[in-house]
Amino acid sequence: IVGGTFGSINAANLTNLNATALTSGTVPDARFPATLPAISGANLTNLPAGGKILQVVQGLTGSDTATSNTDWTATALTANITPSSSNSKIIIMANGLFDNNGGGSQGDGAIYRDSTRLTSSGANGSFGGIYLSDPSQRLFGMLSTSILDAPSTTNQITYKLYIKHSGPGSTYVTFNSQGGTGYIILMEVSA
């Protein structure tokens, strides 16, 4: 304005100022609130789709399963899950006390999805086992696994731990012996 006065710039009302017009300068700390607003998950938008945990299911058992069978034998450790998408993956984690009850016996464990055995590598097609060659001793250990499965369904699925006696002794193996608690956790992960 030629020949006029501006007044005080400090008293200017910048309510409708667009942030893109602020190309330089600084704003004093006093102009910010003392407490920032709480972070809300509702403000988290445009996140990538994959890798989110959609649901978690847990199964527990205090029951033991003893077998001298050399075929896979179902234990009481089981959990069901119904995937929300056929593209989802399921993380399975299972754990429990395992022992060979002496006799130099060996035992193995496997996870099944319904009637399909998921673990096929390792000795005897298992994810782990226990073995002690001295027939006069008894060995305890943890039978534990983590598996990533792609079931490609939205139907309910049952995951279960199976064990077997795989020799060479003539005795038996036990899952969840000594009054322990075995657990299985299922986590659905989005594609």
Side-chain angles (χ1 to χ4, degrees):
I1 299 173
V2 178
T5 59
F6 286 102
S8 173
I9 190 72
N10 292 332
N13 183 344
L14 303 177
T15 304
N16 295 320
L17 179 65
N18 187 317
T20 58
L22 297 175
T23 58
S24 65
T26 59
V27 178
D29 289 345
R31 302 310 302 159
F32 291 100
T35 304
L36 294 175
I39 296 174
S40 168
N43 296 326
L44 300 176
T45 59
N46 299 320
L47 296 175
K52 298 175 189 171
I53 300 296
L54 302 177
Q55 62 175 312
V56 178
V57 176
Q58 177 175 267
L60 300 170
T61 184
S63 300
D64 67 331
T65 302
T67 185
S68 58
N69 198 337
T70 56
D71 293 326
W72 290 109
T73 302
T75 70
L77 186 59
T78 185
N80 299 321
I81 192 168
T82 304
S84 58
S85 168
S86 61
N87 294 325
S88 292
K89 294 191 175 11
I90 307 295
I91 298 172
I92 307 109
M93 296 181 290
N95 198 343
L97 188 62
F98 200 42
D99 78 87
N100 70 344
N101 290 286
S105 60
Q106 177 175 333
D108 294 288
I111 296 291
Y112 276 67
R113 178 199 337 116
D114 296 327
S115 61
T116 301
R117 182 165 42 108
L118 299 180
T119 45
S120 59
S121 61
N124 302 300
S126 72
F127 65 77
I130 191 167
Y131 175 71
L132 181 65
S133 60
D134 185 345
S136 66
Q137 300 295 315
R138 185 173 182 180
L139 181 64
F140 295 89
M142 293 304 290
L143 192 60
S144 179
T145 190
S146 297
I147 302 168
L148 181 63
D149 185 32
S152 300
T153 185
T154 56
N155 295 329
Q156 179 177 285
I157 306 164
T158 299
Y159 289 95
K160 183 174 281 225
L161 174 69
Y162 281 65
I163 61 170
K164 70 176 179 177
H165 176 262
S166 46
S170 59
T171 59
Y172 58 96
V173 292
T174 305
F175 174 74
N176 217 35
S177 62
Q178 306 301 306
T181 299
Y183 73 83
I184 186 168
I185 297 173
L186 310 176
M187 293 188 287
E188 181 185 1
V189 182
S190 64

